[in-house]
Amino acid sequence: MTTIEVEALVKVFGEKRALDGLTFSAQAGEVLGVLGPNGAGKTTAINILSTLLAPDGGTARVCGHDVVGDPEGVRRSISLTGQFAAVDDLLTGRENLVLFGRLRALSRADAAARADDLLERFSLVDAAEKRVGEYSGGMRRRLDLAASMVVPTPVLFLDEPTTGLDPRSRNELWDVVRELRSDGLTIVLTTQYLEEADRLADQIVVIDSGTVIAGGTSDELKAGIGGGSCVVTPVDAREADALASALSGLGRGATVEDDSTGAVVVAEAGDLPLIEVVQAASAAGITLDDVARRKPTLDDVFLQLTDHSGDA
């Protein structure tokens, strides 16, 4: 079932087209990762899908509700956690959640009960009576996410939710996202962390200049830029040029990557048996220190797709 449908979406600010025919979709129960450089249009798209901005063209529907024709229906279907925590530093964790519940028209008793449930689910029980101003960054983000879930919805927008968090806090939030996905939520995740999308997203779209330039699973995107390479390091770095020449004889390009270590990269070597690399080096009288495969990463995909210099 398609939960989110975006078709030819356009948004213009002055002379800048922030979105220029943006088209993508998300299925029920999946995490859709939205990647792109700064200024690509990620946050603008989220703001339109959450009815915070009106589009200048195209259409967008969430759970069957048009963002222009039925914004109230969209709002009833979504939760949003933005780039900056929306919780009140002067209130305790519990008070924040009760406040959000009351703002969402829950009774006082229901808001308190829901707050207790969320504090337990998001591992914040021990900090429930502390003022949020005393929370760590990771705790604040978990509380902010809990506040957005006070009234359960089928769709959750996460706009760069782990920006500024340390690795431990980031991993804790990833665990929460996985749990929410297991509950059947559709989650749209914008992020600058390529590892985050690799770990969490079922599908990924890469946008640049307000339009989708690539899409698919993480593995599909990686496969699209080639089958990986092989990094070969000689014991003597001075033999790097000779090693590159010997490895070029395998019918694949080989270049010196690092003059200090003598590391040589054999391009398009994803299916190259390593024994052939070792034999070629041995035949040239070069002793190797290390041979390793290098598979494409989402970083490689991102850099290749969004490079505007022609040098990627």
Side-chain angles (χ1 to χ4, degrees), residues 85-258:
V87 291
D88 190 323
D89 285 353
L90 297 179
L91 300 179
T92 67
R94 186 187 305 280
E95 288 169 343
N96 266 281
L97 294 179
V98 170
L99 173 62
F100 274 90
R102 296 289 285 155
L103 290 173
R104 294 296 300 272
L106 295 182
S107 68
R108 188 176 300 278
D110 287 344
R114 183 61 175 160
D116 289 339
D117 290 341
L118 290 169
L119 288 166
E120 182 172 356
R121 179 166 193 178
F122 286 83
S123 301
L124 291 168
V125 173
D126 292 342
E129 306 306 330
K130 289 184 179 179
R131 288 189 176 183
V132 172
E134 302 174 24
Y135 279 22
S136 67
M139 292 167 65
R140 286 173 59 87
R141 293 305 285 167
R142 294 207 307 277
L143 181 66
D144 192 40
L145 183 53
S148 70
M149 301 297 297
V150 165
V151 175
T153 60
V155 175
L156 172 63
F157 294 113
L158 297 177
D159 191 13
E160 300 187 18
T162 61
T163 297
L165 297 187
D166 60 74
R168 182 185 299 277
S169 297
R170 191 174 301 146
N171 282 324
E172 290 174 349
L173 198 63
W174 289 354
D175 289 338
V176 171
V177 173
R178 292 187 185 99
E179 185 177 344
L180 293 173
R181 176 178 57 185
S182 70
D183 289 345
L185 270 70
T186 301
I187 300 173
V188 179
L189 169 72
T190 72
T191 180
Q192 295 284 9
Y193 297 110
L194 283 299
E195 183 188 5
E196 187 162 271
D198 209 359
R199 296 278 193 92
L200 298 177
D202 301 296
Q203 294 286 326
I204 295 171
V205 293
V206 184
I207 69 175
D208 196 10
S209 301
T211 190
V212 173
I213 58 175
T217 66
S218 177
D219 288 341
E220 288 169 347
L221 290 172
K222 293 173 188 176
I225 66 168
S229 57
C230 179
V231 182
V232 188
T233 307
V235 170
D236 187 345
R238 293 172 296 181
E239 296 182 319
D241 290 331
L243 178 59
S245 178
L247 296 179
S248 293
L250 297 174
R252 312 180 189 223
T255 57
V256 178
E257 179 185 61
D258 189 331

Side-chain angles (χ1 to χ4, degrees), residues 1 3-4 48-52 60-80 104 151-157:
M1 175 183 173
T3 304
I4 297 172
I48 289 175
L49 285 168
S50 57
T51 74
L52 296 175
R61 300 177 69 84
V62 179
C63 296
H65 305 287
D66 187 90
V67 297
V68 175
D70 187 13
E72 288 298 325
V74 173
R75 292 172 196 146
R76 287 193 299 268
S77 303
I78 67 171
S79 298
L80 169 65
R104 294 296 300 272
V151 175
T153 60
V155 175
L156 172 63
F157 294 113

